[in-house]
């Protein structure tokens, strides 16, 4: 195991993703809100800032887990010291986008420190000494042109000096001449940049870096030019290379916690990734759309989603009365008439949902719908309200598979048949939520509550929407109204506890959790929420115990695995770093039980990267993120994963450029 340049104190200080689950639309696991940022913005009143953070998290420095910062950016002891240091850095250092005067000063310094021809005392003979003298004369002419702002003329002079070396045996004759080639090329590159020939300047930088990968001036200029040309991917690699070299050069100070000024502001890196994200997100969104079949969410997630509806118990009771899947299969083989077969398919699909075989349920709902689709006469002859229920379940199955257009189509047909059915309108609102059409979703929720003021489903799920919109007080009001109508509503108690926890109402949080515990003492969700409360109070051992109870109650619930991993990483361990192996095992288990657990991929990838013993491990993190992208369901999830993947790829490429076999700086 490589010892990373980070102290155990730094590891214990890791920022955490304290999340609460919205077990409603967006499939529960897919809809998570950053608790720490939510609470911070609640306290300061900066809700608009919170909204921005939730939509632009890219796991860099102030990332979702901040574990990625172990590699590059965990440079300071705390945020206050970091802010002060950044201010001093801004006061002392030049911007990368320098003004003409600033760049002139930089080049003048370059001339004074680099471009003078060193008249080496150990030259192999008079010929080499004479060559050095000629180079020095050309150097002086170049400086004159530079001072006169005749940049291209200066570049021509440096080219003549380089040609002179090449025509006299090349730089291989001595180390002194080899150094001169690098110096002259660097100065010519600066002149090309000033003279408006960025491609030639960049070519010179590339030539220098091939010979001297640690040449900071050439790399910084390369970064500046690449950014100006909007070649953000290549620019990001240059930033990472500068940071990796900086960390290697300053490893002693960093280990001792001595503040040091990084070569590139962290904000520059974050801005670079943000510039790259739109194209990356669009690419993966198109890839996701091209998939004919999308995997279902986990069994646990879908079960929680169904339980969020007040009709869950009656649905399950009715499905149980219909008989076993085998009995319904036998009945299907004997049934004649498409409309009657459709009804049997519907019943068998509901029974499969009862048995938590959601894939089989979806297949049966689609088979039933195919038999009667566009056949009004058959639809009218189906038993009781079977056609309306078929449309509703078909809509749910399509929603599970994230076929939002198909789901909405089925739900709207159901609403045409039952225009006053508030529950179907709530499900339509859920599709709009997942599609990002929050205003339309809100209008549908309002319609449902207008039809049925006692519609607890509408109140619960509208509260979820309010939370996504950062309208916390309105969400709280909806949840309180929901509990007034149904005091035994477990999810409403848990959701309200989350809001109270985020607003530092410890007494109110405890009251809600105690009520939930009395209703469902063996609920994984209740223990998980209790663990989150302890975590928020800094009671890490108690938090870990509750998360373990949550796992014991429901091993398929991925959330307590992730929270347990975060608790482990924040638990002080005297003289050592936290139990990273244990944390990694928890995160791997979360992904095993729910391959769409987006936050587990984020944490696991960044933790593995921090502990990487070589670049092979680092490359495996890229593969992990690729797997995560295959399982993303929403644009926000894709954005998060793309952000950390871009940074990881850049770090690996930068390490290769620098000839590093590992991120270790020992």
């Amino acid at each position: 195991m490589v010892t990373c340049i980070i102290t155990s104190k730094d590891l214990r200080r890791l920022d955490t993703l304290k999340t609460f689950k919205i077990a409603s639309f967006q499939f529960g696991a897919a809809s998570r809100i950053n608790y720490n940022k939510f609470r911070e913005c609640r306290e300061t009143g900066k809700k608009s800032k919170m909204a921005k953070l939730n939509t632009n998290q890219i796991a860099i420095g102030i990332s979702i887990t901040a574990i990625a910062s172990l590699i590059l950016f965990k440079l300071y002891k705390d945020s206050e010291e970091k802010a002060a240091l950044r201010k001093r850095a801004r006061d002392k250092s030049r911007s990368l986008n320098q003004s003409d005067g600033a760049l002139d000063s930089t080049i003048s310094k370059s001339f004074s420190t680099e471009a003078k021809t060193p008249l080496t005392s150990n030259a192999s003979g008079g010929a080499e000494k004479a060559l050095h003298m000629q180079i020095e004369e050309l150097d002086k002419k170049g400086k004159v042109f530079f001072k006169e702002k005749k940049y291209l003329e200066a570049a021509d002079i440096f080219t003549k000096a380089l040609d002179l070396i090449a025509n006299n045996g090349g730089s291989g004759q001595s180390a002194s001449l080899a150094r001169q080639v690098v110096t002259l090329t660097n100065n010519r590159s600066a002149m090309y940049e000033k003279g408006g020939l960025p491609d030639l300047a960049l070519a010179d930088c590339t030539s220098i870096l091939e010979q001297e990968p640690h040449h900071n001036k050439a790399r910084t200029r390369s970064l500046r030019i690449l950014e100006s040309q909007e070649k953000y991917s290549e620019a990001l690699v240059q930033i990472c290379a500068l940071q990796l070299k900086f960390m290697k050069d300053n490893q002693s100070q960093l280990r001792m916690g001595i503040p040091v000024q990084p070569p590139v502001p962290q904000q520059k890196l974050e801005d670079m990734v943000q510039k790259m994200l739109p194209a990356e997100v669009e690419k993966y969104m198109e890839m996701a759309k091209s998939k004919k079949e999308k995997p279902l969410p986990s069994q646990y997630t879908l079960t929680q989603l169904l339980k969020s509806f007040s009709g869950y118990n009656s649905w399950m009771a009715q499905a149980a009365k219909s008989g076993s899947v085998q009995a319904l299969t036998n009945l299907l083989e004997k049934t004649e008439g498409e409309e009657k077969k459709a009804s049997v398919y519907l019943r068998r699909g509901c029974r499969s949902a009862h048995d938590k075989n959601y894939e089989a349920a979806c297949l049966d709902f689609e088979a039933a719908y195919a038999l009667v689709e566009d056949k009004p006469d058959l639809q009218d002859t189906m038993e009781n309200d079977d056609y309306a229920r078929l449309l509703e379940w078909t809509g749910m199955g399509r929603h599970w598979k994230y076929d939002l257009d198909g789901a909405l189509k089925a739900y709207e047909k159901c609403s045409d048949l039952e225009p006053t059915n508030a529950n179907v309108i709530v499900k339509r609102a859920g599709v709009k939520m997942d599609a990002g059409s929050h205003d339309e979703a809100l209008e549908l929720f309002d319609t449902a509550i207008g039809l049925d003021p006692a519609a607890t489903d509408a109140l619960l799920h509208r509260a979820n929407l309010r939370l996504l919109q950062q309208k916390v007080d309105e969400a709280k009001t909806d949840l309180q109204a929901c509990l007034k109508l149904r005091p035994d509503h477990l999810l409403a108690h848990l959701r309200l506890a989350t809001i109270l926890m985020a607003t530092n109402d410890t007494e109110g949080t405890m009251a809600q959790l105690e009520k939930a515990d009395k209703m469902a003492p063996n609920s994984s969700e209740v223990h998980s929420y209790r663990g989150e409360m302890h975590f928020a109070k800094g009671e890490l051992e108690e938090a870990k115990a509750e998360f373990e109870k949550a796992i014991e109650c429901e091993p398929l619930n991925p959330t307590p695995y992730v929270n347990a991993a975060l608790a482990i990483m924040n638990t002080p361990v005297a003289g050592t770093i936290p139990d990273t192996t244990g944390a990694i095992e928890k995160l791997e288990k979360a992904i095993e039980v729910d391959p769409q657990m987006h936050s587990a991929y984020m944490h696991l990838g960044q933790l593995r990267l921090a502990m990487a013993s070589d670049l092979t491990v680092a490359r495996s993190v890229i593969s992990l993120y690729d797997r995560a992208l295959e399982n993303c369901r929403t644009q926000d999830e894709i954005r998060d994963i793309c952000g950390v993947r871009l940074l990881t790829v850049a770090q690996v490429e930068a390490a290769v450029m620098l000839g590093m076999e590992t991120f270790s700086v020992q």
Side-chain angles (χ1 to χ4, degrees):
M1 173 65 67
V2 172
T3 303
C4 297
I5 55 167
I6 178 171
T7 64
S8 58
K9 180 180 178 181
D10 287 327
L11 274 171
R12 292 197 299 270
R13 269 186 36 1
L14 288 177
D15 297 332
T16 58
L17 175 64
K18 187 69 172 69
T19 62
F20 58 85
K21 177 190 264 185
I22 295 180
S24 65
F25 302 112
Q26 300 194 1
F27 307 105
S31 177
R32 298 176 181 279
I33 294 179
N34 190 313
Y35 171 82
N36 279 342
K37 291 186 174 66
F38 168 69
R39 181 174 60 180
E40 173 188 355
C41 294
R42 176 67 175 169
E43 291 171 349
T44 61
K46 296 179 181 178
K47 295 183 181 179
S48 60
K49 178 181 178 183
M50 174 62 208
K52 180 180 179 182
L53 286 172
N54 276 335
T55 56
N56 293 323
Q57 295 170 19
I58 55 175
I60 300 164
I62 52 169
S63 65
I64 283 184
T65 66
I67 298 176
S69 61
L70 302 185
I71 301 299
L72 294 179
F73 305 109
K74 204 71 171 177
L75 306 179
Y76 311 121
K77 290 182 179 180
D78 55 53
S79 59
E80 292 180 355
E81 184 178 36
K82 185 185 295 185
L85 286 168
R86 283 178 179 166
K87 184 178 185 302
R88 290 200 295 271
R90 285 195 298 270
D91 293 339
K92 291 180 179 180
S93 65
R94 303 176 185 86
S95 168
L96 285 176
N97 298 311
Q98 300 170 351
S99 66
D100 285 350
L103 187 55
D104 287 348
S105 174
T106 301
I107 296 175
S108 295
K109 182 179 178 181
S110 172
F111 282 139
S112 65
T113 59
E114 290 190 57
K116 282 188 176 181
T117 306
L119 298 177
T120 56
S121 59
N122 61 345
S124 59
E128 184 171 338
K129 185 175 181 180
L131 179 59
H132 276 291
M133 293 180 66
Q134 293 178 66
I135 294 171
E136 186 172 8
E137 287 301 316
L138 289 170
D139 170 69
K140 291 178 180 178
K141 290 182 180 179
K143 289 174 67 175
V144 170
F145 281 128
F146 163 69
K147 291 178 180 179
E148 295 175 352
K149 298 188 181 297
K150 297 178 180 179
Y151 304 119
L152 296 184
E153 288 84 345
D156 288 340
I157 294 298
F158 295 132
T159 299
K160 288 180 181 179
L162 288 166
D163 290 344
L164 186 62
I165 295 174
N167 294 333
N168 283 272
S171 60
Q173 296 182 74
S174 67
S176 177
L177 284 174
R179 181 59 190 159
Q180 277 301 309
V181 168
V182 171
T183 300
L184 290 165
T185 305
N186 180 57
N187 286 337
R188 184 176 68 178
S189 175
M191 295 299 95
Y192 281 147
E193 183 185 21
K194 289 293 292 180
L197 298 175
D199 291 334
L200 292 178
L202 190 60
D204 275 349
C205 289
T206 301
S207 176
I208 294 168
L209 293 171
E210 287 174 352
Q211 300 172 67
E212 294 188 11
H214 297 282
H215 198 290
N216 275 356
K217 289 183 179 179
R219 196 170 297 284
T220 300
R221 185 177 299 113
S222 179
L223 163 60
R224 187 165 56 242
I225 294 170
L226 289 168
E227 183 179 10
S228 71
Q229 295 178 335
E230 299 185 357
K231 296 178 180 179
Y232 301 127
S233 178
E234 297 173 57
L236 182 61
V237 174
Q238 300 295 348
I239 291 178
C240 290
L242 287 166
Q243 298 286 47
L244 287 173
K245 181 179 182 299
F246 162 77
M247 293 188 74
K248 186 172 183 178
D249 293 344
N250 295 274
Q251 57 179 301
S252 297
Q253 295 96 313
L254 290 170
R255 283 185 178 281
M256 292 185 291
I258 299 173
V260 281
Q261 177 184 323
V264 181
Q266 181 177 312
Q267 187 62 47
K268 171 68 71 174
L269 184 146
E270 295 178 6
D271 291 344
M272 197 71 66
V273 174
Q274 286 294 334
K275 290 173 181 176
M276 297 170 64
L277 272 177
E280 284 292 300
V281 171
E282 183 179 359
K283 179 177 74 175
Y284 284 102
M285 285 293 291
E286 289 301 318
M287 291 171 61
K289 290 177 183 177
S290 66
K291 292 182 181 179
K292 293 183 179 179
E293 283 291 326
K294 294 181 176 64
L296 285 173
S298 70
Q299 180 190 105
Y300 181 82
T301 297
L302 288 179
T303 301
Q304 291 301 109
L305 174 61
L306 288 174
K307 285 182 177 180
S308 72
F309 295 108
S310 57
Y312 175 77
N313 289 332
S314 62
W315 294 340
M316 296 302 104
Q318 187 174 354
K321 292 178 182 179
S322 296
S324 67
V325 169
Q326 185 57 54
L328 291 168
T329 300
N330 295 338
L331 177 61
L332 185 62
E333 293 174 353
K334 301 174 184 178
T335 300
E336 297 181 357
E338 291 182 330
E339 74 283 4
K340 293 182 179 179
K341 283 182 177 290
S343 292
V344 177
Y345 271 122
L346 171 63
R347 290 162 59 191
R348 191 174 72 173
C350 291
R351 179 63 201 220
S352 291
H354 172 280
D355 297 343
K356 300 180 182 179
N357 186 350
Y358 296 112
E359 188 67 50
C362 288
L363 292 174
D364 276 351
F365 297 146
E366 290 295 339
Y369 186 63
L371 288 173
V372 297
E373 184 180 12
D374 300 324
K375 298 177 182 177
D377 54 331
L378 296 181
Q379 298 164 8
D380 292 340
T381 57
M382 290 182 70
E383 298 177 1
N384 303 317
D385 62 348
D386 278 5
Y387 182 57
R389 301 288 70 76
L390 173 59
L391 290 169
E392 185 176 6
W393 279 103
T394 299
M396 281 196 284
R398 290 176 177 179
H399 196 173
W400 299 344
K401 287 181 174 289
Y402 219 67
D403 175 9
L404 302 184
D405 290 339
L408 193 60
K409 179 180 178 182
Y411 284 145
E412 287 176 343
K413 285 186 176 182
C414 187
S415 284
D416 289 341
L417 291 176
E418 300 176 337
T420 60
N421 188 327
N423 291 329
V424 174
I425 295 173
V426 169
K427 294 181 177 70
R428 286 167 56 193
V431 176
K432 292 293 185 180
M433 282 177 64
D434 274 357
S437 303
H438 290 178
D439 290 342
E440 294 180 53
L442 184 59
E443 185 176 343
L444 287 167
F445 282 132
D446 292 345
T447 299
I449 293 171
L451 288 169
D452 181 4
T456 55
D457 290 355
L459 290 167
L460 177 72
H461 294 293
R462 188 173 70 176
N464 297 333
L465 176 58
R466 300 291 198 191
L467 288 173
L468 292 173
Q469 295 176 319
Q470 304 308 312
K471 297 178 179 179
V472 181
D473 290 336
E474 294 178 36
K476 184 178 178 181
T477 299
D478 276 347
L479 291 171
Q480 290 171 334
C482 180
L483 288 169
K484 186 175 181 179
L485 292 167
R486 268 191 60 191
D488 63 343
H489 201 303
L490 178 64
L491 289 178
H493 281 296
L494 293 175
R495 200 70 42 74
L496 184 55
T498 298
I499 292 176
L500 296 173
M501 190 191 313
T503 54
N504 295 318
D505 184 351
T506 304
E507 184 177 345
T509 301
M510 284 293 298
Q512 294 302 320
L513 290 178
E514 286 174 3
K515 291 177 182 179
D517 192 37
K518 289 179 181 179
M519 285 184 277
N522 296 318
S523 166
S524 176
E525 291 295 314
V526 172
H527 285 298
S528 189
Y529 275 74
R530 277 190 176 277
E532 292 177 6
M533 182 191 66
H534 287 302
F535 191 102
K537 294 166 64 177
E539 300 167 351
L540 298 179
E541 292 301 327
E542 292 86 347
K544 287 192 288 186
E546 288 293 342
F547 294 142
E548 290 299 331
K549 289 179 183 178
I551 292 170
E552 183 179 349
C553 289
E554 180 49 83
L556 295 180
N557 182 358
T559 302
Y561 291 106
V562 176
N563 284 339
L566 297 177
I568 289 170
M569 290 303 298
N570 281 271
T571 300
V573 181
T576 63
I577 65 173
D579 179 14
T580 55
T581 301
I584 287 174
E585 288 175 354
K586 293 293 187 186
L587 294 170
E588 289 175 337
K589 188 63 178 179
I591 293 173
E592 178 185 330
V593 301
D594 187 354
Q596 295 178 9
M597 188 64 176
H598 147 268
S599 62
Y601 288 104
M602 297 286 293
H603 292 291
L604 179 59
Q606 293 170 62
L607 187 54
R608 280 183 178 173
L609 191 64
M611 300 294 106
S613 57
D614 54 50
L615 293 187
T616 300
V617 177
R619 290 187 179 96
S620 74
V621 173
I622 298 173
S623 298
L624 176 73
Y625 291 146
D626 288 338
R627 179 183 168 197
L629 285 166
E630 291 177 358
N631 286 283
C632 286
R633 300 180 69 90
T634 70
Q635 185 170 333
D636 285 345
E637 289 180 357
I638 290 175
R639 182 183 294 108
D640 288 343
I641 298 295
C642 279
V644 291
R645 186 185 185 281
L646 286 170
L647 182 56
T648 305
V649 169
Q651 289 177 31
V652 171
E653 291 184 7
V656 171
M657 290 173 63
L658 295 173
M660 299 171 61
E661 295 298 326
T662 174
F663 288 130
S664 171
V665 295
Q666 289 186 318

